[in-house]
């Protein structure tokens, strides 16, 4: 497949890029331009502003799917940033009709007891978390082909095991009933699995151990 990956140099995006390449996919790796990728086969690196829907649509016109690994910067403007880039992705879909997969946040999920996971989010990352939850809500209210994959709580660099659990909008918890976790490497495996064999449509699901 041919994939447009937006945010290809980020912590999660770079793992998605590596996983896609390992499976033989072609990737247009879009970055903000402040980092350079090492030379990789089957990768075309471009500088792209996710908020420029015309430019994104042009780059995505010949791909199979769009993957957004963009996260709002954790500042007081994070909520507005998430709304802006989500509006752009929605506009792109209406222009060219390509499936969109988004890296979501655990704050977009609900706990097993029904509690909104956003209510358990530390204040320091609340703007970013609120923005990601709003982004999911915006996608739901549009008639578009999208999927959001969220980590079950904590996501950080780690090991690629290929062994994990999948859940719906209810967060997969750890053995103590608290927020779960997933390595960025295994998150990427789950994302590529969904790209290759779509099973979740117009919804959010989560991955955790």
């Amino acid at each position: 497949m041919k994939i447009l990956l937006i945010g290809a140099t980020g912590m999660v995006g770079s793992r998605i890029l590596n996983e896609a390449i390992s499976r033989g996919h072609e990737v247009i790796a879009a970055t903000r331009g402040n980092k350079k990728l090492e030379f990789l086969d089957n990768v075309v690196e471009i500088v792209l502003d996710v908020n420029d829907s015309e430019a994104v649509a042009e780059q995505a016109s010949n791909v199979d799917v769009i993957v957004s690994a963009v996260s709002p910067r954790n500042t007081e403007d994070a909520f507005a940033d998430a709304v802006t880039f989500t509006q752009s992705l929605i506009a792109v879909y209406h222009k060219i009709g390509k499936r969109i997969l988004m890296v979501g946040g655990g704050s977009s999920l609900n706990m097993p007891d029904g509690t909104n996971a956003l209510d358990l989010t530390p204040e320091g990352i609340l703007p970013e978390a609120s923005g990601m939850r709003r982004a999911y809500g915006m996608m739901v209210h549009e008639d578009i082909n999208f999927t959001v994959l969220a980590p079950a709580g904590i996501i950080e660099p780690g090991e690629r095991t290929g062994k994990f659990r999948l859940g719906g909008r209810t967060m997969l918890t750890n053995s103590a009933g608290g927020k779960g976790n997933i390595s960025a490497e295994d998150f990427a495996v789950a994302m590529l699995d969904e790209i290759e064999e779509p099973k979740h449509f117009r919804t959010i699901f989560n991955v955790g151990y």
Side-chain angles (χ1 to χ4, degrees), residues 4-7 48-57 60 65-71 81-103 132 135-136 138-139 142 144-148:
L4 172 61
L5 173 59
I6 305 171
L48 187 64
D49 179 0
V50 69
N51 297 328
D52 186 343
S53 62
E54 293 288 345
V56 176
V65 295
I66 302 167
V67 179
S68 171
V70 177
S71 176
D81 289 347
V83 170
T84 300
F85 74 66
T86 304
Q87 288 173 330
S88 177
L89 291 173
I90 290 169
V92 169
Y93 182 87
H94 288 308
K95 292 176 190 295
I96 61 174
K98 298 297 175 74
R99 185 186 184 204
I100 297 172
L101 295 100
M102 295 179 67
V103 174
M132 296 301 285
Y136 168 66
M138 292 170 65
M139 301 297 276
E142 294 286 331
I144 62 177
N145 184 2
F146 81 94
T147 303
V148 177

Side-chain angles (χ1 to χ4, degrees), residues 2 4 11 15 26 43 48 64 66 69 85 103 120-121 132 136-137 147 158 161 184-185 201:
K2 192 169 185 179
L4 172 61
M11 189 266 286
R15 270 73 176 182
E26 293 181 60
V43 176
L48 187 64
D64 297 296
I66 302 167
F85 74 66
V103 174
L120 306 178
T121 301
M132 296 301 285
Y136 168 66
T147 303
T161 69
E185 287 76 5
F201 299 96

